Amino acid sequence: GGCGAYPRGGGRYSARWARPGCARSPGSGPGAFSAEYGLDQTLPIYSGGLGVLSGDHLKSASDLGIPLVAIGLLYKNGYFNQKINGSGAQETEYKNLDIENLPLESVKDSEGKDILVALHFPKKKIYLKAWKVNVGRVELYLLDSDIDANIPEYREITKTLYGGDREMRIQQEIILGQAGVAMLKALGYKPTIYHMNEGHSSFLILELIYNLMKEKQISFPIARDIISAKTVFTTHTPVPAGNDIFELSLVEKYFEGYWDKLGITKQEFFQMGMKPNAKIDTTGFNMGILALKVAGKKNGVSELHGAVSRELFGEVWPEIAANESPITYVTNGIHTCSWLSPYLKELYNKYLIFSNLEVIMNIPKKNIINKKNNFICSLYQVENFLNKFTILLKTKNFAEFIKKQN
């Protein structure tokens, strides 16, 4: 296939796109969790690279027919816009999203009522509703605390991406992880794999372990091992400061008594987010370490980043050498069609969907060069793409093509 608009319809995913055996049953495909998604500038619920990667991940899953479902938060104030004032200093500006004119669908039950999930917060229960975004064949559910059922303080929690203080940050991450799991369950999804894109959603691990203990009447160690086989963690930030670490007093405030439900002590609960040799009285709760300790698969986002991450988190596994830490890598990719100009899409769709080398090597020069605007795209850009294509076909390099055109 080439670069085109996302097809719609066909249920959760169209049978003609999904690979046989990709999901055992509807709703059992992978569940993706991320604090931000860069789908389009009209929906500014992202700040940078993590969001762009998460958004491209969903688009590519749609193209491939992977029955993925995703969870995020609906930031009605989005992320800030940058302005430069008369003195040359940067200022931040937030704008309320026009929900009515965005591709968001309020998720309701058969009676037309909002589907809500609830969490126990210190002052009162907090309720979350969901908005659905159709990313082609992939469904993204964004959780929203700005509803009448919540007290004013709690309505503010999901409004701003990376906004507020440390307490608001832990509130957002509890909602993303724990309420995210609860919402998927309420919607009938039963993911076989839960993917945490960065550590923000790591609290989902606690929810999954507790749910399994309750359902199967099993102990914490057994449930933890089972959940380990169902979780994947991708770390992005190669510096310690890039990983959320919460004060233990703040963690205790929001998880008071949760360790009793898990059948472990408070100290054991705190140690889930710490390096093995850390002292509890001088250490915070690290979201990345929680994910690294439990997730069965851990990866960085390039070969070099994987190596850096093994060194950075080596103390999590003190019994082995740091460079042998069980963190692999999956090199970041992009959703190609989202980053091509309209003209290049047309060019690639016309010629590069063929595997016939003769057709590719004879792309007319006039289709690459625009006489009025000189180059529509640089010859280097086309050379780079075709080089990779011809290498895949085990052919000569692009020099032959350039020579032919000249």
Side-chain angles (χ1 to χ4, degrees):
C3 290
Y6 290 133
R8 296 295 180 92
R12 282 193 175 143
Y13 54 92
S14 173
R16 70 186 181 90
W17 281 78
R19 297 165 63 184
C22 196
R24 294 180 184 139
S25 60
S28 67
F33 288 68
S34 180
E36 46 177 302
Y37 292 92
L39 301 171
D40 187 84
Q41 62 184 10
T42 59
L43 188 60
I45 56 171
Y46 61 97
S47 68
L50 174 64
V52 170
L53 177 66
S54 298
D56 279 13
H57 187 188
L58 301 192
K59 295 174 185 178
S60 297
S62 173
D63 288 350
L64 295 170
I66 298 173
L68 185 75
V69 62
I71 288 287
L73 302 183
L74 178 64
Y75 307 105
K76 290 181 177 177
N77 290 338
Y79 193 58
F80 68 82
N81 293 313
Q82 296 177 340
K83 293 176 61 178
I84 304 298
N85 64 21
S87 303
Q90 177 184 298
E91 294 181 344
T92 59
E93 179 184 59
Y94 290 95
K95 293 182 179 179
N96 293 328
L97 299 186
D98 184 1
I99 300 296
E100 297 298 323
N101 291 310
L102 288 173
L104 299 168
E105 177 187 338
S106 182
V107 180
K108 299 183 181 297
D109 61 21
S110 58
E111 297 179 357
K113 298 179 182 179
D114 288 336
I115 294 178
L116 303 178
V117 296
L119 295 175
H120 290 281
F121 269 20
K123 292 183 179 179
K124 197 176 181 181
K125 271 188 178 182
I126 183 172
Y127 296 89
L128 291 309
K129 69 163 291 178
W131 299 82
K132 183 173 74 170
V133 183
N134 289 311
V135 187
R137 299 175 176 83
V138 169
E139 294 175 343
L140 165 62
Y141 293 95
L142 302 174
L143 302 180
D144 180 14
S145 69
D146 184 25
I147 57 176
D148 293 339
N150 289 325
I151 60 176
E153 177 186 335
Y154 289 173
R155 294 187 66 159
E156 298 294 315
I157 294 175
T158 61
K159 280 190 176 180
T160 307
L161 173 59
Y162 302 143
D165 55 14
R166 296 301 296 165
E167 182 156 9
M168 182 171 283
R169 177 65 74 89
I170 197 173
Q171 289 171 335
Q172 288 185 342
E173 298 191 4
I174 290 170
I175 289 171
L176 178 62
Q178 294 187 281
V181 169
M183 182 59 75
L184 288 183
K185 185 177 181 180
L187 296 174
Y189 289 93
K190 297 180 180 179
T192 50
I193 294 293
Y194 290 81
H195 177 224
M196 296 166 281
N197 212 12
E198 198 57 281
H200 308 114
S201 60
S202 297
F203 285 134
L204 70 82
I205 288 171
L206 306 177
E207 189 75 2
L208 292 174
I209 291 174
Y210 172 68
N211 287 347
L212 190 62
M213 289 176 63
K214 187 176 178 181
E215 178 187 349
K216 301 294 185 182
Q217 294 296 300
I218 55 179
S219 67
F220 174 80
I222 294 174
R224 181 188 56 202
D225 289 346
I226 294 173
I227 296 306
S228 175
K230 293 167 65 72
T231 46
V232 177
F233 173 55
T234 297
T235 177
H236 292 260
T237 311
V239 293
N243 295 275
D244 276 329
I245 302 175
F246 295 111
E247 299 84 356
L248 296 188
S249 59
L250 198 54
V251 175
E252 183 170 7
K253 178 177 179 179
Y254 282 86
F255 287 94
E256 176 69 45
Y258 202 91
W259 38 83
D260 295 327
K261 294 164 62 174
L262 296 177
I264 58 177
T265 67
K266 181 168 68 172
Q267 180 173 328
E268 289 171 330
F269 183 90
F270 288 157
Q271 287 173 333
M272 291 181 71
M274 298 178 181
K275 295 175 182 178
N277 298 323
K279 295 181 179 180
I280 286 186
D281 56 350
T282 59
T283 308
F285 192 96
N286 189 311
M287 298 294 284
I289 290 180
L290 170 62
L292 287 168
K293 280 189 168 183
V294 179
K297 297 289 184 181
K298 284 84 66 171
N299 69 274
V301 291
S302 72
E303 184 174 10
L304 176 59
H305 180 243
V308 171
S309 297
R310 285 192 289 276
E311 294 292 335
L312 178 64
F313 295 109
E315 292 179 62
V316 176
W317 301 277
E319 68 280 2
I320 60 176
N323 62 0
E324 295 180 359
S325 302
I327 302 175
T328 182
Y329 73 94
V330 177
T331 302
N332 272 350
I334 63 166
H335 181 251
T336 306
C337 297
S338 292
W339 298 98
L340 289 178
S341 69
Y343 181 82
L344 279 178
K345 288 181 185 178
E346 182 181 340
L347 181 72
Y348 291 174
N349 279 341
K350 185 173 181 179
Y351 293 101
L352 300 190
I353 60 174
F354 299 102
S355 59
N356 186 325
L357 181 61
E358 185 176 351
V359 173
I360 297 169
M361 299 297 280
N362 284 285
I363 298 177
K365 184 177 181 179
K366 66 180 181 180
N367 287 348
I368 300 177
I369 302 175
N370 179 320
K371 293 180 181 178
K372 182 178 179 181
N373 298 315
N374 194 8
F375 287 87
I376 288 180
C377 57
S378 70
L379 282 175
Y380 170 78
Q381 193 173 7
V382 178
E383 176 183 354
N384 186 50
F385 187 93
L386 290 182
N387 246 332
K388 293 177 180 177
F389 194 86
T390 52
I391 287 172
L392 289 174
L393 296 175
K394 297 182 180 180
T395 64
K396 297 179 181 178
N397 65 28
F398 186 73
E400 182 180 341
F401 172 77
I402 292 293
K403 183 177 180 181
K404 219 168 195 178
Q405 301 309 311
N406 294 330

